[in-house]
Amino acid sequence: MKKMELRWLYIFTFISFISATFYLPTAKADSNWLKYFKKDSLLNTYKTCYAVLDDSLWTGTFGDGIIIKDGKNVKKLTNKNTRSTPFIDDGLVSDYINCITFDEIRHKVWIGTNQGLCCCDYEYNNWERFSEGKNLPNNVIRALAVDNGGNLWVGTPSGISIYDGENWKQVNENNGLLQGSIHSIKTQGNVVWVGTVGGSISRYKDGKWETVVGFD
């Protein structure tokens, strides 16, 4: 019995030696491959959202801003490189992107982050910022959508803000929603569907709110 155990020990030791000797370059290659991906912001950049305008793909990331690809060129937008000067913080409000949508009526790109809402034109200029207080009920932006009338719907953990281009209106549990913690917003023409963290689904149609799915 002891001879059998000793034989297996020798075999295991021999296999371990062979693996360490001959497969080391492969392990090194794997390490280099991962480093390559991290350097190029491919594997280690956490993608949070996508939006498409014509042939341009706008990808939001968690900490690396926005990456724009049009099939030929790649452009990266960050809090620093979108400022009008290096000393004025007036560009992309945060590099932690939660959602992106396009307003094709006003030719704007709306970007929701963990520190507020901002927008720019299609050429990444004319940045505007909106924050908690007068415009928004919360700086954490979870969902964005634009209806056929050009109204922007902004979902937050504290309800919805609706922007018609001039004025803001807030909606929460007190005036239409079953729950104020918003998870997603989808539009079909001028009909708006709102999903909440609690699982409820509300619909806004013809100026009225309706709870389609309540809490289980």
Side-chain angles (χ1 to χ4, degrees):
M1 186 66 179
K2 291 183 178 179
K3 290 183 178 180
M4 181 65 70
E5 293 176 354
L6 190 60
R7 180 182 298 175
W8 281 111
L9 178 61
Y10 289 150
I11 292 174
F12 177 81
T13 303
F14 178 74
I15 293 174
S16 299
F17 175 78
I18 294 297
S19 299
T21 302
F22 293 98
Y23 288 91
L24 182 59
T26 302
K28 184 178 180 181
D30 288 342
S31 176
N32 289 338
W33 181 252
L34 291 174
K35 289 179 181 178
Y36 168 80
F37 269 110
K38 184 175 182 180
K39 178 181 178 181
D40 287 355
S41 299
L42 295 175
L43 182 64
N44 292 295
T45 296
Y46 177 48
K47 310 299 191 301
T48 57
C49 56
Y50 302 89
V52 178
L53 177 67
D54 297 328
D55 293 328
S56 297
L57 172 66
W58 292 53
T59 305
T61 72
F62 193 73
D64 284 328
I66 298 172
I67 300 170
I68 305 170
K69 299 181 179 181
D70 62 7
K72 298 180 181 179
N73 303 305
V74 177
K75 174 72 175 180
K76 189 172 183 179
L77 305 181
T78 67
N79 171 264
K80 291 185 177 180
N81 70 14
T82 55
R83 299 179 181 186
S84 57
T85 75
F87 310 104
I88 301 177
D89 187 7
D90 58 356
L92 182 63
V93 66
S94 170
D95 290 333
Y96 291 83
I97 313 300
N98 294 330
C99 44
I100 305 171
T101 195
F102 294 99
D103 179 353
E104 298 189 39
I105 296 177
R106 298 182 177 88
H107 300 281
K108 289 185 176 182
V109 186
W110 290 95
I111 303 161
T113 77
N114 66 338
Q115 295 182 27
L117 174 70
C118 59
C119 69
C120 65
D121 58 31
Y122 290 174
E123 288 73 39
Y124 337 123
N125 299 315
N126 300 315
W127 288 86
E128 296 180 75
R129 292 181 171 189
F130 305 88
S131 59
E132 182 177 342
K134 180 179 180 181
N135 307 129
L136 304 171
N138 197 303
N139 274 335
V140 177
I141 313 302
R142 290 178 176 165
L144 293 170
V146 178
D147 63 27
N148 274 4
N151 299 301
L152 174 71
W153 295 69
V154 184
T156 79
S158 305
I160 295 173
S161 279
I162 307 169
Y163 183 52
D164 63 6
E166 295 183 3
N167 302 304
W168 291 85
K169 176 184 177 181
Q170 297 189 10
V171 181
N172 50 41
E173 299 95 333
N174 299 322
N175 57 350
L177 295 175
L178 186 62
Q179 184 192 22
S181 186
I182 308 304
H183 179 272
S184 58
I185 303 176
K186 302 295 181 182
T187 59
Q188 290 181 314
N190 287 324
V191 179
V192 182
W193 296 82
V194 178
T196 70
V197 172
S200 68
I201 300 176
S202 298
R203 180 179 64 187
Y204 182 77
K205 183 179 180 181
D206 299 328
K208 296 180 180 180
W209 283 99
E210 176 187 1
T211 299
V212 179
V213 178
F215 298 132
D216 294 334

